[in-house]
Amino acid sequence: MAVYVDDILCVDPTWGIIGGSLRTPNTRDALAPQDFLYTLLVRSEAGTSTRIIGSILKVLDAASQRQELIASMIDPRVRIVSLTVTEKGYCHDPATGEIDPCHPEILHDLAAPEEPVSAPGLIVRALELRRAAGIAPFTVLCCDNLPQNGRTVSRIVVGLATMRDKALADHIASAVSFPSTMVDRIVPATSEEDRTLIRDLQGVEDAWPVVTEPFTQWVIEDRFPTGRPPLEMVGAEFVSDVRPFELMKLRMLNGSHSTIAYLGYLGGYAYVNQAIEDPALFKLVYSLMTDEVMSTLRQDICDLGAYRDALLERFRNPALRHRTWQIAMDGSQKLPQRLLGTIRDRLAENLPISLTALGVAAWMRYVTGRDEQGSEIDVKDPLAPRLRQISEAAKGSPAKLVDGFLGVSEVFGEDLPRNEAFRVAIVNHLTSLFHRGALATARLVC
Ligand code: CS2
């Protein structure tokens, strides 16, 4: 978004971004001394280009600058509040898309609505204050990898407001726009090597450069009642229904990404571009998209074969050091939209699910927290403690592990655990992953 808005500044300098960090002050502390400017490094086999991004006016740390952040959110000049808080930032049940009323941050925000700590809590509070002051609401623009992300966030925000004040909830439901979007650009987490590269290339210290790929795609529902930047002038696509684009991206790119991440990490590959060079993993991901995912998508929005081939090229990008461990994070929040949606659609048609089921089994193998050499895996996931308990209770039995994990309804819902074809496929793959390992299993399946 910062790049798109930076591009717009040439034609319309009245726009800008105020960032809000909910988790840590690190980005603010890094960018404040450099006027919130940062270097964008666009890297591929063809080389590296750099540019300075100047669209961020400031970044506020929610923990220590909460009231300043809320004050910014109720400023009438602020027309859009966008969200890139990752799948786990919505305090919701990934299987149903509904708010989790027992989430610690939701419990906090219900008890202290004027000091919200969650993204939904901040949005409800700001909309409440705008309503009280007679200021038109902002548009809420979700840019995270959630299914029907605008509608999902609308249900979460209205759900929280309903638990506080029915009239406020009705106001939000009727007056606030939550357009859906599909955002696609691979952006590995910034590393020390990136900072060193800037120093070598530009001779400057940049505390938080951002490395990415040349490819970018942003598809947005055009529902901005209080205005928006002319993003179509800088490459964004406005459509009436994002859903087909979102399904294609979440299931083709992100479903493959998660499968590569778990099998690649377990197979000893630290980076995506290394894993995709493994013939077995390349063939597996190619077949997963071709033989299982593509049949669940609308065939008319683009040449899906060409889209698949372009994705594989993007995964191969040797200039991006995208860690399999980074993508493997938060799998409990990602699996439903990345792999389980495809599986449900195919089970409904009595179609094979072997390849997508392997992605799910690889996640289960990964979250046991032990790799194939017996070393500990640093599993980052909001449900990690619970997943660890299930793993310990299973005492190494693949069937017990599967039954334990399938019981996590936030991930698998109520239907999949009852589907015997799904369960058997997962048990067989997980047994193979334990006995043969990830790469041998990938070779066997394809
Ligand atoms: C990745 C995504 O970390 C992950 O889960 O799969 O961040 C992916 O890089 C983006 O969705 C690409 O658009």
mmCIF file of all heavy atoms in Angstrom, residues 145 183-186 249 253-254 257 322 326-327 334 338, ligand 1:
data_model
loop_
_atom_site.group_PDB
_atom_site.id
_atom_site.type_symbol
_atom_site.label_atom_id
_atom_site.label_comp_id
_atom_site.label_asym_id
_atom_site.label_seq_id
_atom_site.Cartn_x
_atom_site.Cartn_y
_atom_site.Cartn_z
ATOM 1 N N ASN A 145 -4.830 -12.013 4.212
ATOM 2 C CA ASN A 145 -5.209 -13.217 3.463
ATOM 3 C C ASN A 145 -6.348 -13.968 4.139
ATOM 4 O O ASN A 145 -6.186 -15.126 4.541
ATOM 5 C CB ASN A 145 -3.998 -14.141 3.319
ATOM 6 C CG ASN A 145 -2.976 -13.584 2.344
ATOM 7 O OD1 ASN A 145 -3.323 -13.013 1.318
ATOM 8 N ND2 ASN A 145 -1.705 -13.719 2.685
ATOM 9 N N VAL A 183 -4.707 -8.973 -2.142
ATOM 10 C CA VAL A 183 -3.394 -8.332 -2.203
ATOM 11 C C VAL A 183 -2.363 -9.415 -2.490
ATOM 12 O O VAL A 183 -2.373 -10.464 -1.842
ATOM 13 C CB VAL A 183 -3.044 -7.671 -0.845
ATOM 14 C CG1 VAL A 183 -1.659 -7.063 -0.878
ATOM 15 C CG2 VAL A 183 -4.089 -6.636 -0.468
ATOM 16 N N ASP A 184 -1.496 -9.183 -3.468
ATOM 17 C CA ASP A 184 -0.493 -10.212 -3.751
ATOM 18 C C ASP A 184 0.864 -9.584 -4.029
ATOM 19 O O ASP A 184 1.077 -8.933 -5.063
ATOM 20 C CB ASP A 184 -0.913 -11.059 -4.967
ATOM 21 C CG ASP A 184 0.058 -12.215 -5.202
ATOM 22 O OD1 ASP A 184 1.003 -12.380 -4.400
ATOM 23 O OD2 ASP A 184 -0.129 -12.944 -6.207
ATOM 24 N N ARG A 185 1.788 -9.757 -3.108
ATOM 25 C CA ARG A 185 3.194 -9.427 -3.342
ATOM 26 C C ARG A 185 3.995 -10.179 -2.274
ATOM 27 O O ARG A 185 3.638 -10.136 -1.088
ATOM 28 C CB ARG A 185 3.472 -7.919 -3.247
ATOM 29 C CG ARG A 185 4.819 -7.579 -3.837
ATOM 30 C CD ARG A 185 4.997 -6.092 -4.102
ATOM 31 N NE ARG A 185 5.981 -5.878 -5.183
ATOM 32 C CZ ARG A 185 6.354 -4.680 -5.604
ATOM 33 N NH1 ARG A 185 5.825 -3.590 -5.076
ATOM 34 N NH2 ARG A 185 7.262 -4.557 -6.574
ATOM 35 N N ILE A 186 5.002 -10.882 -2.712
ATOM 36 C CA ILE A 186 5.820 -11.661 -1.766
ATOM 37 C C ILE A 186 6.830 -10.725 -1.111
ATOM 38 O O ILE A 186 7.607 -10.055 -1.818
ATOM 39 C CB ILE A 186 6.527 -12.822 -2.492
ATOM 40 C CG1 ILE A 186 5.481 -13.847 -2.967
ATOM 41 C CG2 ILE A 186 7.544 -13.495 -1.549
ATOM 42 C CD1 ILE A 186 6.050 -14.973 -3.810
ATOM 43 N N LYS A 249 -6.000 -16.723 -5.653
ATOM 44 C CA LYS A 249 -4.731 -16.393 -5.008
ATOM 45 C C LYS A 249 -4.529 -17.185 -3.712
ATOM 46 O O LYS A 249 -3.462 -17.764 -3.485
ATOM 47 C CB LYS A 249 -4.687 -14.880 -4.707
ATOM 48 C CG LYS A 249 -3.335 -14.375 -4.287
ATOM 49 C CD LYS A 249 -3.260 -14.183 -2.784
ATOM 50 C CE LYS A 249 -1.898 -13.710 -2.363
ATOM 51 N NZ LYS A 249 -1.813 -13.405 -0.928
ATOM 52 N N LEU A 253 -1.648 -19.681 -4.817
ATOM 53 C CA LEU A 253 -0.375 -19.200 -4.260
ATOM 54 C C LEU A 253 -0.218 -19.646 -2.811
ATOM 55 O O LEU A 253 0.723 -20.365 -2.458
ATOM 56 C CB LEU A 253 -0.280 -17.671 -4.329
ATOM 57 C CG LEU A 253 1.077 -17.094 -3.906
ATOM 58 C CD1 LEU A 253 1.315 -15.744 -4.580
ATOM 59 C CD2 LEU A 253 1.263 -16.943 -2.410
ATOM 60 N N ASN A 254 -1.172 -19.248 -1.971
ATOM 61 C CA ASN A 254 -0.950 -19.487 -0.534
ATOM 62 C C ASN A 254 -1.067 -20.958 -0.153
ATOM 63 O O ASN A 254 -0.349 -21.435 0.737
ATOM 64 C CB ASN A 254 -1.909 -18.632 0.300
ATOM 65 C CG ASN A 254 -1.643 -17.139 0.141
ATOM 66 O OD1 ASN A 254 -2.442 -16.416 -0.441
ATOM 67 N ND2 ASN A 254 -0.494 -16.675 0.628
ATOM 68 N N HIS A 257 2.198 -22.247 -1.126
ATOM 69 C CA HIS A 257 3.226 -21.694 -0.237
ATOM 70 C C HIS A 257 3.286 -22.483 1.076
ATOM 71 O O HIS A 257 4.351 -22.873 1.541
ATOM 72 C CB HIS A 257 2.887 -20.235 0.089
ATOM 73 C CG HIS A 257 3.958 -19.286 -0.332
ATOM 74 N ND1 HIS A 257 3.925 -17.966 0.005
ATOM 75 C CD2 HIS A 257 5.083 -19.461 -1.064
ATOM 76 C CE1 HIS A 257 4.994 -17.358 -0.480
ATOM 77 N NE2 HIS A 257 5.705 -18.242 -1.139
ATOM 78 N N HIS A 322 13.123 -16.043 1.119
ATOM 79 C CA HIS A 322 11.855 -16.164 1.832
ATOM 80 C C HIS A 322 11.901 -17.434 2.669
ATOM 81 O O HIS A 322 11.896 -18.547 2.126
ATOM 82 C CB HIS A 322 10.702 -16.219 0.835
ATOM 83 C CG HIS A 322 9.394 -15.824 1.451
ATOM 84 N ND1 HIS A 322 8.232 -15.735 0.726
ATOM 85 C CD2 HIS A 322 9.049 -15.482 2.715
ATOM 86 C CE1 HIS A 322 7.247 -15.361 1.509
ATOM 87 N NE2 HIS A 322 7.711 -15.190 2.719
ATOM 88 N N GLN A 326 9.111 -18.730 8.061
ATOM 89 C CA GLN A 326 8.225 -17.556 8.154
ATOM 90 C C GLN A 326 6.830 -17.919 7.626
ATOM 91 O O GLN A 326 5.814 -17.600 8.245
ATOM 92 C CB GLN A 326 8.785 -16.386 7.341
ATOM 93 C CG GLN A 326 7.857 -15.166 7.313
ATOM 94 C CD GLN A 326 8.332 -14.074 6.368
ATOM 95 O OE1 GLN A 326 9.518 -13.963 6.046
ATOM 96 N NE2 GLN A 326 7.409 -13.233 5.917
ATOM 97 N N ILE A 327 6.785 -18.615 6.511
ATOM 98 C CA ILE A 327 5.480 -18.972 5.919
ATOM 99 C C ILE A 327 4.768 -20.023 6.781
ATOM 100 O O ILE A 327 3.545 -20.048 6.876
ATOM 101 C CB ILE A 327 5.679 -19.495 4.489
ATOM 102 C CG1 ILE A 327 6.320 -18.404 3.621
ATOM 103 C CG2 ILE A 327 4.361 -19.954 3.865
ATOM 104 C CD1 ILE A 327 6.842 -18.890 2.303
ATOM 105 N N LYS A 334 -4.217 -20.175 8.889
ATOM 106 C CA LYS A 334 -4.043 -20.107 7.425
ATOM 107 C C LYS A 334 -4.654 -21.303 6.711
ATOM 108 O O LYS A 334 -5.174 -21.168 5.600
ATOM 109 C CB LYS A 334 -2.543 -20.048 7.083
ATOM 110 C CG LYS A 334 -1.818 -18.809 7.591
ATOM 111 C CD LYS A 334 -0.320 -18.861 7.264
ATOM 112 C CE LYS A 334 0.401 -17.608 7.707
ATOM 113 N NZ LYS A 334 1.869 -17.649 7.404
ATOM 114 N N ARG A 338 -6.464 -21.743 2.851
ATOM 115 C CA ARG A 338 -5.419 -22.091 1.880
ATOM 116 C C ARG A 338 -5.565 -23.524 1.340
ATOM 117 O O ARG A 338 -5.303 -23.758 0.176
ATOM 118 C CB ARG A 338 -4.047 -21.943 2.531
ATOM 119 C CG ARG A 338 -3.729 -20.499 2.907
ATOM 120 C CD ARG A 338 -2.341 -20.354 3.461
ATOM 121 N NE ARG A 338 -2.050 -18.952 3.765
ATOM 122 C CZ ARG A 338 -0.839 -18.415 3.802
ATOM 123 N NH1 ARG A 338 0.215 -19.193 3.561
ATOM 124 N NH2 ARG A 338 -0.646 -17.144 4.054
HETATM 125 C C1 CS2 B 1 2.937 -16.177 2.742
HETATM 126 C C2 CS2 B 1 2.246 -14.899 2.308
HETATM 127 O O1 CS2 B 1 3.864 -15.856 4.886
HETATM 128 C C3 CS2 B 1 2.929 -16.361 4.246
HETATM 129 O O2 CS2 B 1 1.988 -16.991 4.772
HETATM 130 O O3 CS2 B 1 2.274 -17.274 2.103
HETATM 131 O O4 CS2 B 1 2.677 -13.797 3.078
HETATM 132 C C4 CS2 B 1 2.542 -14.628 0.833
HETATM 133 O O5 CS2 B 1 3.932 -14.322 0.678
HETATM 134 C C5 CS2 B 1 1.713 -13.479 0.302
HETATM 135 O O6 CS2 B 1 0.337 -13.763 0.511
HETATM 136 C C6 CS2 B 1 1.972 -13.304 -1.193
HETATM 137 O O7 CS2 B 1 1.042 -12.421 -1.751
#
